């Protein structure tokens, strides 16, 4: 089977790494890929948002199956176009992808179907949003409605911060068109976790939980990023909580989307806050997380291709998921300055030595190859991942690999997994 993975980040490298091991995969391509992905797949110079280009490549190459990694092409309707062309694809339709593409749509959907989430209000007028904040008080959360690469959420300790966040999102358009509307939510307390399920429109198969570290600084301080590291399993998601999440969040979503005429097919990623009242939904994503995908793929024992193929085929009831009896942890190495302005095209050395650490693999997120060198071209650049008997051992191995990488212009947090190790 010829398979195309769409995307260029660490999530897509992890997916390619897992797919390449499948006996069902005869040829693997990635559009556009990166320097690390090139070691396991043929990289195709087609942007992930170039729908006509992707369709043309699939026809020319005779692609049998497409796995769409990032959210933007899903929201833009890539899967719809592929299916219209008779090419099976793993991912939701544009209508179903609104669960991530519009936070306002997601919150209204939850209200319609009784899914536990924070109280909220939606605004397209900045003055009205500010008036609401002044009446509601703080702490409070301000979110850009649309896609903002994981950075459109501002946790505000006081009213002044919330008003500044509204101005940044709606007036200054820090996140572009995503800031045409804001969702303002009550501030939930507890411990965050990420829960994943594969869904074929009817059947939902849980893929377990992970915890990521959004803040750029150690001790979970500083501005939010796309994610500075993650680990799985997440101790806070007990078997009892996992079943509650399936019962109160995942299954009602599957049933609700089907009832509204937009069956969800793909990966449903529920961002959770687990507090005194149990698990509440913070947000939905409609694809694997990045960097959570890296740790899930490291733990997955099953052949991933039959699992993914069962989603568009509506056959998840015929497959089972098997995991290694192990934990996994990923440390993100980012370019200095991230999540602000970064210097690009700096050289990364000694990657082979890091890859040689037992149970470790370096997933590339923002790299390109030039003249035999690997250059950093993004904010989050590498995802150094390792497996171990528990989170502590996985952490030790991941940092052992990190310390072998020669990249003075990069940095990482040194405390990824601290909650699980401390526990």
């Amino acid at each position: 089977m010829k398979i195309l993975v769409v995307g260029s980040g660490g999530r897509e490298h992890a997916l390619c790494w897992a797919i390449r091991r499948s006996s069902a995969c005869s040829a693997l391509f990635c559009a556009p890929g990166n320097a690390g992905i090139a070691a396991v797949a043929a990289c195709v110079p087609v942007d992930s948002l170039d729908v006509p280009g992707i369709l043309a490549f699939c026809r020319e190459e005779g692609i049998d199956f497409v796995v769409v990694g990032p959210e933007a092409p899903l929201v833009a309707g890539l899967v719809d176009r592929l299916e219209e062309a008779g090419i099976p694809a793993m991912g939701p339709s544009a209508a179903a992808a609104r669960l991530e593409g519009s936070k306002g749509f997601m919150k209204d959907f939850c209200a319609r179907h009784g899914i536990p989430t924070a109280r909220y209000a939606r605004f397209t007028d900045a003055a009205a949003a500010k008036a609401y904040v002044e009446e509601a008080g703080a702490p409070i959360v301000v979110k850009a409605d649309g896609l903002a690469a994981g950075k459109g959420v501002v946790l505000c300790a006081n009213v002044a911060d919330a008003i500044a966040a509204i101005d940044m999102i709606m007036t200054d358009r820090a996140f572009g068109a995503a800031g045409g509307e804001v969702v303002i939510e009550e501030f939930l307390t507890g411990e965050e976790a990420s829960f994943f399920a594969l869904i074929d429109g009817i059947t939902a198969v849980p893929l377990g939980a992970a915890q990521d570290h959004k803040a750029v600084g150690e001790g979970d301080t500083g501005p939010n990023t796309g994610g500075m590291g993650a680990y799985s399993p997440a101790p806070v998601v007990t078997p009892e909580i996992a079943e509650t999440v399936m019962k109160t969040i995942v299954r009602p979503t599957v049933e609700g989307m089907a009832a509204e005429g937009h069956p969800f097919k793909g990966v449903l990623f529920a961002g959770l806050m687990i507090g005194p009242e149990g698990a509440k939904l913070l947000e939905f994503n409609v694809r694997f997380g990045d960097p959570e995908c890296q740790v899930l793929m490291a733990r997955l024992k099953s052949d991933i291709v039959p699992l993914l193929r069962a989603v568009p085929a509506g056959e998840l009831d015929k497959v089972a998921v098997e995991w290694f009896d192990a934990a996994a942890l990923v440390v993100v190495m980012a370019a200095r300055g991230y999540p602000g302005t970064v210097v690009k095209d700096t050289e990364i050395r000694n990657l082979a030595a890091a890859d040689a650490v037992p149970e470790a693999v370096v997933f590339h997120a923002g790299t390109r190859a030039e003249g035999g060198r690997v250059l950093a071209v993004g904010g989050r650049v590498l995802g150094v991942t390792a497996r171990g008997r528990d989170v502590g051992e996985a952490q030790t191995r991941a940092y052992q690999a990190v310390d072998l990488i020669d990249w003075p212009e990069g940095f990482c947090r040194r405390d990824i997994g601290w909650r699980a190790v401390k526990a």
Side-chain angles (χ1 to χ4, degrees), residues 172-184:
D172 300 338
R173 292 298 177 100
F175 306 111
E181 179 176 339
V182 293
V183 174
I184 300 178

Side-chain angles (χ1 to χ4, degrees), residues 65-90:
F65 184 54
V66 178
V67 179
V68 184
E71 62 273 21
L74 293 170
V75 171
L78 175 57
V79 168
D80 304 72
R81 304 290 84 77
L82 288 165
E83 291 186 344
E84 288 168 4
I87 303 165
M90 215 296 294

Side-chain angles (χ1 to χ4, degrees), residues 4-9 12-13 16 29-38 41-48 364-368 377:
L4 171 67
V5 174
V6 175
S8 62
E12 289 75 40
H13 191 178
C16 287
F29 304 86
C30 189
N34 61 42
I37 291 174
C43 292
V44 182
V46 179
D47 188 82
S48 62
H364 291 225
T367 65
R368 68 180 177 90
V377 295

Side-chain angles (χ1 to χ4, degrees), residues 331-402:
V331 178
V332 169
M333 297 191 72
R336 293 201 182 278
Y338 180 78
T341 303
V342 302
V343 177
K344 297 184 179 181
D345 293 323
T346 58
E347 185 177 359
I348 307 169
R349 305 175 184 85
N350 220 32
L351 287 166
D355 265 322
V357 171
E359 300 293 314
V361 56
V362 180
F363 293 121
H364 291 225
T367 65
R368 68 180 177 90
E370 181 182 280
R373 302 183 302 158
V374 173
L375 304 180
V377 295
R380 293 188 300 162
V381 176
L382 301 173
V384 185
T385 306
R387 207 164 50 203
R389 291 168 295 182
D390 52 29
V391 174
E393 184 173 69
Q395 181 193 63
T396 297
R397 288 173 172 168
Y399 280 111
Q400 182 183 350
V402 165

